[in-house]
PDB file of all heavy atoms in Angstrom:
ATOM      1  N   LEU A 540      78.377  94.051 104.378  1.00  0.00           N
ATOM      2  CA  LEU A 540      79.556  93.422 104.955  1.00  0.00           C
ATOM      3  C   LEU A 540      79.474  93.489 106.478  1.00  0.00           C
ATOM      4  O   LEU A 540      79.328  94.573 107.054  1.00  0.00           O
ATOM      5  CB  LEU A 540      80.834  94.117 104.474  1.00  0.00           C
ATOM      6  CG  LEU A 540      82.145  93.687 105.136  1.00  0.00           C
ATOM      7  CD1 LEU A 540      82.439  92.216 104.867  1.00  0.00           C
ATOM      8  CD2 LEU A 540      83.299  94.562 104.662  1.00  0.00           C
ATOM      9  N   LEU A 541      79.573  92.336 107.130  1.00  0.00           N
ATOM     10  CA  LEU A 541      79.558  92.260 108.592  1.00  0.00           C
ATOM     11  C   LEU A 541      80.996  92.081 109.072  1.00  0.00           C
ATOM     12  O   LEU A 541      81.641  91.084 108.751  1.00  0.00           O
ATOM     13  CB  LEU A 541      78.699  91.085 109.060  1.00  0.00           C
ATOM     14  CG  LEU A 541      77.313  90.956 108.412  1.00  0.00           C
ATOM     15  CD1 LEU A 541      76.573  89.751 108.978  1.00  0.00           C
ATOM     16  CD2 LEU A 541      76.496  92.226 108.617  1.00  0.00           C
ATOM     17  N   ILE A 542      81.509  93.045 109.807  1.00  0.00           N
ATOM     18  CA  ILE A 542      82.898  93.000 110.258  1.00  0.00           C
ATOM     19  C   ILE A 542      82.933  92.733 111.755  1.00  0.00           C
ATOM     20  O   ILE A 542      82.467  93.549 112.556  1.00  0.00           O
ATOM     21  CB  ILE A 542      83.633  94.317 109.947  1.00  0.00           C
ATOM     22  CG1 ILE A 542      83.653  94.572 108.438  1.00  0.00           C
ATOM     23  CG2 ILE A 542      85.056  94.278 110.501  1.00  0.00           C
ATOM     24  CD1 ILE A 542      84.366  95.842 108.032  1.00  0.00           C
ATOM     25  N   HIS A 543      83.477  91.596 112.133  1.00  0.00           N
ATOM     26  CA  HIS A 543      83.579  91.210 113.539  1.00  0.00           C
ATOM     27  C   HIS A 543      85.018  91.282 114.032  1.00  0.00           C
ATOM     28  O   HIS A 543      85.275  91.000 115.210  1.00  0.00           O
ATOM     29  CB  HIS A 543      83.064  89.775 113.733  1.00  0.00           C
ATOM     30  CG  HIS A 543      81.743  89.521 113.096  1.00  0.00           C
ATOM     31  ND1 HIS A 543      80.560  89.969 113.624  1.00  0.00           N
ATOM     32  CD2 HIS A 543      81.409  88.887 111.948  1.00  0.00           C
ATOM     33  CE1 HIS A 543      79.561  89.603 112.843  1.00  0.00           C
ATOM     34  NE2 HIS A 543      80.053  88.949 111.812  1.00  0.00           N
ATOM     35  N   GLU A 544      85.942  91.619 113.150  1.00  0.00           N
ATOM     36  CA  GLU A 544      87.361  91.591 113.498  1.00  0.00           C
ATOM     37  C   GLU A 544      87.885  93.003 113.790  1.00  0.00           C
ATOM     38  O   GLU A 544      87.409  93.982 113.216  1.00  0.00           O
ATOM     39  CB  GLU A 544      88.186  90.977 112.364  1.00  0.00           C
ATOM     40  CG  GLU A 544      87.831  89.536 112.042  1.00  0.00           C
ATOM     41  CD  GLU A 544      86.636  89.388 111.103  1.00  0.00           C
ATOM     42  OE1 GLU A 544      86.047  90.428 110.700  1.00  0.00           O
ATOM     43  OE2 GLU A 544      86.285  88.250 110.783  1.00  0.00           O
ATOM     44  N   PHE A 545      88.871  93.068 114.651  1.00  0.00           N
ATOM     45  CA  PHE A 545      89.586  94.318 114.876  1.00  0.00           C
ATOM     46  C   PHE A 545      90.636  94.489 113.771  1.00  0.00           C
ATOM     47  O   PHE A 545      91.338  93.542 113.411  1.00  0.00           O
ATOM     48  CB  PHE A 545      90.279  94.310 116.229  1.00  0.00           C
ATOM     49  CG  PHE A 545      89.364  94.523 117.404  1.00  0.00           C
ATOM     50  CD1 PHE A 545      88.666  93.458 117.953  1.00  0.00           C
ATOM     51  CD2 PHE A 545      89.199  95.779 117.959  1.00  0.00           C
ATOM     52  CE1 PHE A 545      87.827  93.642 119.037  1.00  0.00           C
ATOM     53  CE2 PHE A 545      88.357  95.977 119.046  1.00  0.00           C
ATOM     54  CZ  PHE A 545      87.665  94.906 119.585  1.00  0.00           C
ATOM     55  N   ALA A 546      90.740  95.706 113.275  1.00  0.00           N
ATOM     56  CA  ALA A 546      91.772  95.988 112.276  1.00  0.00           C
ATOM     57  C   ALA A 546      93.163  95.764 112.859  1.00  0.00           C
ATOM     58  O   ALA A 546      94.100  95.426 112.135  1.00  0.00           O
ATOM     59  CB  ALA A 546      91.644  97.426 111.776  1.00  0.00           C
ATOM     60  N   ALA A 547      93.299  95.913 114.170  1.00  0.00           N
ATOM     61  CA  ALA A 547      94.603  95.793 114.821  1.00  0.00           C
ATOM     62  C   ALA A 547      95.243  94.438 114.610  1.00  0.00           C
ATOM     63  O   ALA A 547      96.473  94.329 114.551  1.00  0.00           O
ATOM     64  CB  ALA A 547      94.462  96.070 116.325  1.00  0.00           C
ATOM     65  N   TYR A 548      94.448  93.379 114.487  1.00  0.00           N
ATOM     66  CA  TYR A 548      95.048  92.047 114.317  1.00  0.00           C
ATOM     67  C   TYR A 548      94.722  91.432 112.959  1.00  0.00           C
ATOM     68  O   TYR A 548      94.885  90.226 112.761  1.00  0.00           O
ATOM     69  CB  TYR A 548      94.643  91.097 115.448  1.00  0.00           C
ATOM     70  CG  TYR A 548      93.152  90.844 115.634  1.00  0.00           C
ATOM     71  CD1 TYR A 548      92.414  90.115 114.717  1.00  0.00           C
ATOM     72  CD2 TYR A 548      92.494  91.306 116.773  1.00  0.00           C
ATOM     73  CE1 TYR A 548      91.067  89.860 114.898  1.00  0.00           C
ATOM     74  CE2 TYR A 548      91.136  91.059 116.973  1.00  0.00           C
ATOM     75  CZ  TYR A 548      90.435  90.330 116.036  1.00  0.00           C
ATOM     76  OH  TYR A 548      89.106  90.088 116.221  1.00  0.00           O
ATOM     77  N   THR A 549      94.283  92.246 112.017  1.00  0.00           N
ATOM     78  CA  THR A 549      93.935  91.738 110.690  1.00  0.00           C
ATOM     79  C   THR A 549      95.052  92.049 109.698  1.00  0.00           C
ATOM     80  O   THR A 549      95.508  93.192 109.607  1.00  0.00           O
ATOM     81  CB  THR A 549      92.613  92.362 110.194  1.00  0.00           C
ATOM     82  OG1 THR A 549      91.580  92.058 111.135  1.00  0.00           O
ATOM     83  CG2 THR A 549      92.233  91.813 108.831  1.00  0.00           C
ATOM     84  N   ARG A 550      95.493  91.057 108.977  1.00  0.00           N
ATOM     85  CA  ARG A 550      96.536  91.215 107.967  1.00  0.00           C
ATOM     86  C   ARG A 550      96.074  90.568 106.668  1.00  0.00           C
ATOM     87  O   ARG A 550      95.303  89.613 106.704  1.00  0.00           O
ATOM     88  CB  ARG A 550      97.855  90.569 108.439  1.00  0.00           C
ATOM     89  CG  ARG A 550      98.445  91.210 109.689  1.00  0.00           C
ATOM     90  CD  ARG A 550      98.892  92.659 109.448  1.00  0.00           C
ATOM     91  NE  ARG A 550      99.542  93.221 110.620  1.00  0.00           N
ATOM     92  CZ  ARG A 550      98.898  93.812 111.618  1.00  0.00           C
ATOM     93  NH1 ARG A 550      97.580  93.919 111.579  1.00  0.00           N
ATOM     94  NH2 ARG A 550      99.563  94.311 112.650  1.00  0.00           N
ATOM     95  N   PRO A 551      96.509  91.072 105.489  1.00  0.00           N
ATOM     96  CA  PRO A 551      97.404  92.215 105.314  1.00  0.00           C
ATOM     97  C   PRO A 551      96.739  93.527 105.723  1.00  0.00           C
ATOM     98  O   PRO A 551      95.513  93.611 105.856  1.00  0.00           O
ATOM     99  CB  PRO A 551      97.732  92.189 103.815  1.00  0.00           C
ATOM    100  CG  PRO A 551      96.572  91.492 103.201  1.00  0.00           C
ATOM    101  CD  PRO A 551      96.112  90.469 104.193  1.00  0.00           C
ATOM    102  N   LEU A 552      97.562  94.564 105.877  1.00  0.00           N
ATOM    103  CA  LEU A 552      97.090  95.820 106.427  1.00  0.00           C
ATOM    104  C   LEU A 552      96.054  96.507 105.560  1.00  0.00           C
ATOM    105  O   LEU A 552      95.220  97.256 106.057  1.00  0.00           O
ATOM    106  CB  LEU A 552      98.289  96.761 106.656  1.00  0.00           C
ATOM    107  CG  LEU A 552      99.273  96.304 107.741  1.00  0.00           C
ATOM    108  CD1 LEU A 552     100.493  97.214 107.747  1.00  0.00           C
ATOM    109  CD2 LEU A 552      98.619  96.282 109.105  1.00  0.00           C
ATOM    110  N   ASP A 553      96.090  96.272 104.232  1.00  0.00           N
ATOM    111  CA  ASP A 553      95.145  96.960 103.346  1.00  0.00           C
ATOM    112  C   ASP A 553      93.830  96.201 103.187  1.00  0.00           C
ATOM    113  O   ASP A 553      92.969  96.606 102.399  1.00  0.00           O
ATOM    114  CB  ASP A 553      95.775  97.204 101.972  1.00  0.00           C
ATOM    115  CG  ASP A 553      96.058  95.905 101.217  1.00  0.00           C
ATOM    116  OD1 ASP A 553      95.999  94.822 101.847  1.00  0.00           O
ATOM    117  OD2 ASP A 553      96.353  95.977 100.018  1.00  0.00           O
TER     118      ASP A 553
END
Side-chain angles (χ1 to χ4, degrees):
L540 172 63
L541 312 180
I542 299 180
H543 311 284
E544 298 83 359
F545 284 84
Y548 59 70
T549 302
R550 297 294 184 273
L552 293 173
D553 66 347

